[in-house]
Amino acid sequence: MIEVKIDEKEIKKIFLEEIEKHIKKIENETLFWDTDDLMKNTKMCWNTIQEKFFFDPRFPKRKVGRRWMFPAEKTKKFLLEWIDEQPNH
């Protein structure tokens, strides 16, 4: 008879590491965000985005046809800098 013991903590650790790898892979494949992505990733509505940072000259954006496009990595970098600049109330 064979007995197998499973360390549930180790299985959970391996599982979470694999999920993290896949998330990073997906994030790295996204080259541009559109306005829907920007709203989803910032958890802000379009009006709030325009009011808070859209017109900041440092904010990376390009109008392609009728759509706004945002380079994903540059946009993430800007947003992290921008949030650090906000008053802490």
Side-chain angles (χ1 to χ4, degrees):
M1 181 178 229
I2 298 174
E3 186 175 319
V4 177
K5 291 185 178 185
I6 298 176
D7 182 347
E8 289 185 27
K9 289 180 183 179
E10 187 64 24
I11 295 292
K12 184 176 179 178
K13 179 183 167 220
I14 292 169
F15 179 75
L16 292 174
E17 287 171 355
E18 288 300 313
I19 288 176
E20 184 68 26
K21 284 181 195 175
H22 288 288
I23 288 172
K24 286 184 182 199
K25 181 181 176 193
I26 290 169
E27 286 177 348
N28 288 335
E29 290 176 357
T30 303
L31 190 57
F32 299 110
W33 291 353
D34 61 11
T35 53
D36 290 335
D37 295 322
L38 184 62
M39 289 186 293
K40 177 183 162 199
N41 290 322
T42 60
K43 308 291 191 264
M44 294 179 184
C45 71
W46 185 243
N47 288 339
T48 301
I49 289 169
Q50 289 181 314
E51 178 186 318
K52 299 293 183 184
F53 62 80
F54 187 80
F55 297 104
D56 185 319
R58 301 171 299 160
F59 181 59
K61 60 187 172 287
R62 292 282 186 274
K63 186 106 181 207
V64 179
R66 301 169 84 196
R67 296 180 64 174
W68 283 104
M69 302 298 291
F70 314 95
E73 289 304 314
K74 288 181 181 179
T75 302
K76 289 177 196 176
K77 183 176 184 238
F78 168 83
L79 290 169
L80 291 171
E81 292 171 2
W82 175 81
I83 197 70
D84 284 342
E85 297 168 357
Q86 302 312 297
N88 195 10
H89 296 57

